[in-house]
Amino acid sequence: MKIQDSVVFISGANRGLGLAFAQEALKRGARKVYAGVRNPTSTNTPGIVQVELDVSDAASVAAAAAQCGDTTLLVNNAGIARLNSSVLDVPMINLSREIFETNYYGTIRLSQAFALTLANNGGGAVINVLSDATWFARPMLAAYSASKSAAWSFTNALRVELRNQNTAVLGLHVSFMDTDMTHGFDMKKTSPRQVAEAALVGLEAGKEEVLADSFTREVKQSLSTEKAIYLNPPEIA
């Protein structure tokens, strides 16, 4: 799929990776970008149309899909992360429910709502934002990791099903990015703009999976080895 002249819908597009996706899509010639946000503002950026969206609300998702019927590329970017002090903590259950509602069920809702739209517009594509946490669960991010593992599984099933309507599905895996979500974390971080660029370049090249940074590639490559990183985590990752 080519980004030139496409119409892109991005969830969670008010900042971080979502905003970077919007900017990179316009740079590559997208005709229009719908920015799905909880609270639209009066900000007027040429080429970007803010759309009210709460991915945890089925009615909100349906309304956004109805409003944006010319979409040819859906980017499921909206996501939340919450730290848990221990996987044994009782609050872990409610924390997991909250995270899954956005990161997993939100991805399903938007994919279902826009699938017919994409088909009617020639097929198009879906990009699902995943994580190195899909395969490597840090204890403090156990609930988040579980949500991304679930979203990866859904992404793989969605890819197979949507091939029948000529819709490409790309899974984007990335480790820590320099965004509000990771503010205060002292570790190597990747620029959101770099990640968005890698995803859109990969999509145009026909890739079905993009590993956006060196650590994510290292984790994925280790999965079938005896020294898989998820079994032998580094002290700092």
Side-chain angles (χ1 to χ4, degrees), residues 132-155:
D132 67 336
T134 298
W135 308 300
F136 172 41
R138 302 163 178 86
M140 68 177 181
L141 288 169
Y144 173 81
S145 295
S147 74
K148 289 300 184 179
S149 294
W152 180 50
S153 181
F154 173 74
T155 297

Side-chain angles (χ1 to χ4, degrees), residues 53-113:
L53 176 69
D54 177 356
V55 299
S56 67
D57 184 326
S60 175
V61 170
Q67 180 180 341
C68 306
D70 52 349
T71 297
T72 59
L73 169 59
L74 168 66
V75 181
N76 279 310
N77 168 72
I80 60 174
R82 303 282 188 268
L83 297 180
N84 48 268
S85 58
S86 168
V87 297
L88 304 180
D89 287 346
V90 172
M92 174 85 173
I93 299 295
N94 289 334
L95 185 70
S96 297
R97 289 195 180 103
E98 178 192 5
I99 292 174
F100 264 73
E101 194 61 50
T102 294
N103 296 3
Y104 180 60
Y105 296 116
T107 295
I108 294 176
R109 289 187 187 97
L110 275 170
S111 299
Q112 291 177 336

Side-chain angles (χ1 to χ4, degrees), residues 10-24 37 77-79 129 177-182 190-197:
I10 306 165
S11 65
N14 58 322
R15 63 182 185 276
L17 181 57
L19 179 58
F21 260 117
Q23 294 168 337
E24 188 64 25
V37 297
N77 168 72
V129 178
M177 289 182 288
D178 191 11
T179 66
D180 292 346
M181 188 181 290
T182 62
T190 306
S191 161
R193 196 68 179 264
Q194 180 182 336
V195 175
E197 179 183 14

